[in-house]
Amino acid sequence: MTGSETKAAVEWLTSAAPDPAACRWEWERHPQGIALLPAGRRWDVLILPGELGRPTLDILTRLIDRPGPVLADFGESRTGFFVPPGTVSRWVGTGIRGCGHGTWIVVPYPGRVAGGVRWLVPPDGSGTLTDAGLLELAMHEAAGAAAGDALGERPGG
């Protein structure tokens, strides 16, 4: 990320914080370089198991130029997609965790790996979020491909 992209991403992320200055302070001084930010105001986060998250992201990036921000934990055992606020309250998929109003997420400084959490797609500062319907379609395609692989089926075969 360039300096101006990082600055825009920081501004966008901290705009969700109750105290943006405290959020910046946490990023600068916290030994793990993370801050807690509330979900449900500027975004919700849908958390997919790692075996589904990475293939879903791969499909999304083939479908659209740039999805919204995406976080991964250490070892990519979970992948978090930033989606529009209110998505979690309407989500009915099983096996997917959601962070919406009243929850908090661990967020590293844009462009840095911190505390075992890293950006797979850092925020760009514009407020771009992943469309929940498109995310669901990408998840179905990723799950279908995984099921076909498990059965030994190959596309076109």
Side-chain angles (χ1 to χ4, degrees):
M1 293 179 76
T2 67
S4 62
E5 290 171 335
T6 299
K7 183 178 180 183
V10 167
E11 291 301 316
W12 180 71
L13 287 168
T14 60
S15 72
D19 183 349
C23 180
R24 286 186 193 90
W25 186 92
E26 283 289 323
W27 274 328
E28 293 168 7
R29 293 178 182 81
H30 190 279
Q32 297 203 4
I34 57 173
L36 286 173
L37 290 175
R41 182 172 172 210
R42 298 264 188 246
W43 59 76
D44 284 359
V45 180
L46 290 176
I47 303 170
L48 283 60
E51 62 274 5
L52 181 60
R54 184 54 110 157
T56 297
L57 178 58
D58 291 344
I59 291 165
L60 267 178
T61 57
R62 287 194 311 258
L63 296 174
I64 57 176
D65 189 35
R66 188 178 197 288
V70 181
L71 285 171
D73 67 357
F74 182 73
E76 295 188 26
S77 62
R78 288 181 292 275
T79 308
F81 292 82
F82 282 51
V83 293
T87 299
V88 167
S89 66
R90 297 183 305 273
W91 192 262
V92 293
T94 58
I96 309 302
R97 293 176 30 202
C99 295
H101 182 74
T103 63
W104 294 72
I105 60 169
V106 173
V107 179
Y109 189 84
R112 291 187 202 154
V113 175
V117 179
R118 67 187 179 99
W119 293 105
L120 296 177
V121 179
D124 63 5
S126 71
T128 299
L129 299 169
T130 298
D131 177 79
L134 189 58
L135 177 62
E136 184 176 14
L137 290 173
M139 287 169 45
H140 284 287
E141 186 173 327
D149 287 348
L151 294 173
E153 298 173 2
R154 298 284 178 231

